Structure formats: C-alpha cells, structure tokens
Amino acid sequence: MGRFRAWLVVIGAGTALVLTGCSSESAAQPPSPASTTTLAPTATTETTTPAPVTTTEEALPPPPPPVEPPPPTAEPQTTYAPIGGAYYFSSPDGLFQCGIVPLSTRTEAGCQGTTTPVPPKPEDCMINWGNGIRVTNDGPASFMCSGGVVYTSGGDTIDPPLAVGATIAGNGFTCTSAENGISCVDDATGHGFRIAPDSNEVY
C-alpha cells in the first residue's frame, strides 16, 4: 500500500515535470509573425491641363493714303485765239515756228526752220536765206530772206504745237499739220507750201 502511494507520487511528479516542460516550451516559442500584406503601388495617372490659349489682337495698320490720279496728259493745243489778229503755233516736233499774220500791206502765212533742199540764194537777199517758207495774199509761196524769227508771239517759250491732223484757219489762210510736215494755203488763190526738215514744196 505504501509502495503504491510512492509510485503514484513519482508518476504525479513526472507528469508535473512533463507539463511544466511543455508549458515552458510553449512560452519560449516566439509568437508567429503577423501576416503582412504589401499593397502593389497604385499607378498614378497625371492629367495635364493645357494652358489657355491667349489671343492677342494686333492693331490693323492704317489704310494707305488715297492714290492721286495722274495729271491729265497735256494734249497739243488745237484752238488758237488770235494775238493782235495773228495766229502763232509750232510744228509737233518743235522744229518749225509758224504763223498767220496780218500786216499793214499784206497778210501772210509762213513757217521758219531748217529745211532741205533750198534753192540758191538770190542776189537781193543780204541776210539769212532759206530758213523758212511763206505765202502771201499777192502771189505764190517763196523761201524767206529774214534776219531773225518772224513767226512768234514773243513769249519765253515756243508757241504751242499744232497736233498732226489739226488745222488753223484765219485771215484767209489755212494751215494744217500732217505726218509729212506743215502746209499753209491762201484760201483765195490756192498758193501755198509744205515744209519739213528733209523735204519741202512751194506752189
């Protein structure tokens, strides 16, 4: 009986040691690590807001000044008022000065300028010869013997040109401008002339 108790005591002590060992082992065991969840990085979407468009209105340039119309082209004069009863004009090329001139003893129409051919100088001409042709109301046309300019209004410039195709009529004479020169005719007798730089005729 006593041996049985002793055996129980030994068994009880062994059981206690086993339990104590198990308990110590459980206490010494580190706690299981807590589970850690790692989140994947979230993709970041950047939204770029475009900068506002700024419109700058530039001032318009001032309008160009109005274009002045060109001055009218001067046309050759075709109407000639008499000056002291005389009509003065020039050829379109300005090489001849002409006139229809009433004088005290006669009326004549003539043109002065260089022309060719010229007949020989007469003996009674003591001054310049052949520098023009005239026709009077008392005979046929002839070359001039004169010491200076006869057919001029006396202005600072040459008298206005008579355009090709234009005519001046006055004092019984008619003068016409043509491509081949200036012609003047005595309306009553039909005598007259044509004069140009490189040709002429008298009738």
Side-chain angles (χ1 to χ4, degrees):
M1 186 73 173
R3 188 177 290 179
F4 179 74
R5 285 182 184 173
W7 179 249
L8 287 176
V9 170
V10 171
I11 291 174
T15 301
L17 287 173
V18 172
L19 289 174
T20 302
C22 287
S23 176
S24 298
E25 191 175 330
S26 296
Q29 216 173 19
S32 62
S35 61
T36 304
T37 303
T38 304
L39 298 176
T42 304
T44 303
T45 304
E46 292 185 1
T47 304
T48 305
T49 304
V53 178
T54 304
T55 304
T56 304
E57 293 187 2
E58 295 183 1
L60 295 176
V67 178
E68 293 289 335
T73 304
E75 295 292 337
Q77 185 173 341
T78 56
T79 302
Y80 297 79
I83 300 174
Y87 298 84
Y88 297 103
F89 59 95
S90 64
S91 61
D93 55 16
L95 297 179
F96 294 94
Q97 291 177 262
C98 308
I100 302 173
V101 185
L103 303 173
S104 58
T105 58
R106 68 182 186 273
T107 299
E108 64 183 48
C111 289
Q112 285 181 282
T114 302
T115 184
T116 189
V118 176
K121 183 178 181 179
E123 294 183 358
D124 60 351
C125 179
M126 310 306 294
I127 50 179
N128 296 330
W129 167 252
N131 61 346
I133 303 175
R134 68 160 56 104
V135 60
T136 69
N137 57 355
D138 62 358
S142 62
F143 283 82
M144 294 176 62
C145 177
S146 64
V149 179
V150 175
Y151 306 115
T152 176
S153 62
D156 295 333
T157 60
I158 191 171
D159 291 299
L162 184 65
V164 172
T167 295
I168 292 179
N171 299 322
F173 291 82
T174 299
C175 293
T176 303
S177 177
E179 294 288 349
N180 63 346
I182 300 289
S183 298
C184 291
V185 178
D186 181 335
D187 298 335
T189 65
H191 292 305
F193 67 87
R194 180 189 60 81
I195 191 169
D198 55 359
S199 65
N200 57 69
E201 57 182 310
V202 294
Y203 47 87

